[in-house]
Amino acid sequence: MATLRDIQNRIKAVKNTRQITSAMKMVAASKLRKAQSRMMDLRPYAEKMNSVISGLSAGADLEMNPLLAKRPTKAIEVLVITSDRGLCGAFNSNILKSAQALVGDLSKEDSDTVAGGPVEINISTVGKKAVDYYKRRKIGLRQSWTGLSGGIEYTRIQELTNNIIERYTSEAVDRVYVVYNMFKNVVIQKVTVAKLLPVEPPEAPEEEDVKADYIYEPSEQALFDALLPKNVEVQIFRAMLESQASEEAARMTAMENATKSATEMIDALTLKYNKARQASITAELMDIVGGVEALKD
Amino acid sequence: MAEKLKLEIVTPTGLVASEEVDEVTAVGSEGEFGVVPGHAPFVTTLKVGMLTSKGDGQTVRYFVNWGYAEVGPDGISVLADSSEKSEEIDVERAKAARERAEERLRKADDIDFVRAEAALERAITRIGVAEHKLG
């Protein structure tokens, strides 16, 4: 049987925990707002980029661009985007589970090169949580980036993208996938697998005549070749922002649940404490009454 | 044809400018160019440099870090990696970046060299735009 003091200490501890979780929830909420507004900020740029690329693709020779080249697959790269910090519910385990499933599916695929044999899968990751996960399973990573979350800097994303594009153009890998959490709303985050490279040829615009007599400097082809890698960059940047918004949303939900559980626990413990207190008062009273009775005789 | 140009600068971190101006000058991959209302449709990439807009007797300078510019019938839109108005440039930070880049260039190996050089160019251009020494 727990003593009064034990219960009191327990209540105090749970209250402290509740204070921390509710503060973390508040912090996550404000970070979520920031992440959401950054997603909004990117939108006009991404839209413009899409329209420009589809506009240019009508005039450019698509075969010429290395990022559009479909090659027989002998190696595949999977980029897994997780968070640096924990305490965000199932956010990271969902992603890593899907990533493992994807890797499993891909590795069943046979290489369609002349040589045949199974395809080689490379995994690169973003976020500390993925590093820990793969280290525990003793799976080697090609490359991992950490410390990107928080204020995601566009220049860091450029480094990451250049690294991946270089792997692709040097034919070290023939396909690149990215796995990340897409932000639907505060309660729903959807694990998304997207093919990054080779780039699917953009659709030609419908109104061809509009862009008929543009002056291009340098050539149309050169412009197209310069913009396509940018587009990959934007896609990765977007995935990172989505992932960050999802992370904060997941953390917010997790912390809210934790706060709720803590409150329930405090209620239960307070009840137990009061019962124990009353029991001890009753016992003392019985003692006194017993003592008085004994003295009477 | 509109008498004013609509200038729009978008970056991955948001809209930097969206306003009506009379004239825009920028540094394209093939050299500096100016745009006034009624310019022929024109598409180019931009180098790291300054973009100037004139309108209502005011001149506004922008720093543009790599970009793509499209001049259409209604105006000019620019897609840039990053861009800032001259008065919003953090000169201290740019100066620190310049020093870092110079330091790296002094002892650079090959891989770092290109990046350091690009960083140096960005920093110097930023400072130039902020202090109105360019153009």
Side-chain angles (χ1 to χ4, degrees), chain A residues 36 46 60 79 82 102 134 150 168 217 223 240 244 267 278 281:
Chain A
Q36 266 179 302
L79 176 69
T82 62
L102 175 71
Y134 286 110
Y168 184 78
E217 242 181 54
L223 277 170
M240 292 285 303
Q244 191 173 28
D267 287 348
Q278 271 171 351
I281 290 172

Side-chain angles (χ1 to χ4, degrees), chain A residues 168-189:
Chain A
Y168 184 78
T169 48
S170 66
E171 305 200 3
V173 290
D174 307 300
R175 258 191 278 162
V176 180
Y177 290 91
V178 55
V179 188
Y180 67 99
N181 266 306
M182 179 136 76
F183 181 81
K184 288 264 181 212
N185 57 44
V186 178
V187 264
I188 302 170
Q189 296 92 38

Side-chain angles (χ1 to χ4, degrees), chain B residues 56-68:
Chain B
D56 295 329
Q58 276 193 321
T59 306
V60 186
R61 293 174 180 80
Y62 298 94
F63 163 78
V64 175
N65 171 19
W66 196 93
Y68 162 93

Side-chain angles (χ1 to χ4, degrees), chain A residues 206-227:
Chain A
E206 282 165 25
E207 343 113 71
E208 295 261 350
D209 49 332
V210 177
K211 53 167 299 289
D213 44 354
Y214 270 93
I215 306 164
Y216 293 100
E217 242 181 54
S219 67
E220 226 171 324
Q221 184 74 48
L223 277 170
F224 186 70
D225 290 350
L227 277 169

Side-chain angles (χ1 to χ4, degrees), chain A residues 129-149:
Chain A
K129 290 290 153 185
V131 176
D132 296 345
Y133 176 89
Y134 286 110
K135 200 185 266 171
R136 272 202 302 280
R137 277 159 190 74
K138 300 199 166 46
I139 297 174
L141 296 177
R142 183 186 73 77
Q143 179 122 26
S144 57
W145 289 272
T146 54
L148 284 175
S149 63

Side-chain angles (χ1 to χ4, degrees), chain B residues 25-94:
Chain B
T25 355
V27 190
S29 55
E30 317 275 283
E32 198 171 285
F33 64 93
V35 180
V36 289
H39 194 285
F42 170 59
V43 170
T44 185
T45 48
L46 299 178
K47 286 200 224 169
V48 176
M50 180 161 74
L51 185 145
T52 323
S53 74
K54 288 192 184 114
D56 295 329
Q58 276 193 321
T59 306
V60 186
R61 293 174 180 80
Y62 298 94
F63 163 78
V64 175
N65 171 19
W66 196 93
Y68 162 93
E70 181 176 316
V71 181
D74 326 302
I76 169 167
S77 44
V78 175
L79 285 174
D81 273 8
S82 58
S83 171
E84 289 130 38
K85 252 186 196 172
S86 61
E87 58 273 21
E88 282 160 15
I89 293 173
D90 188 341
V91 180
E92 290 307 310
R93 199 180 142 195

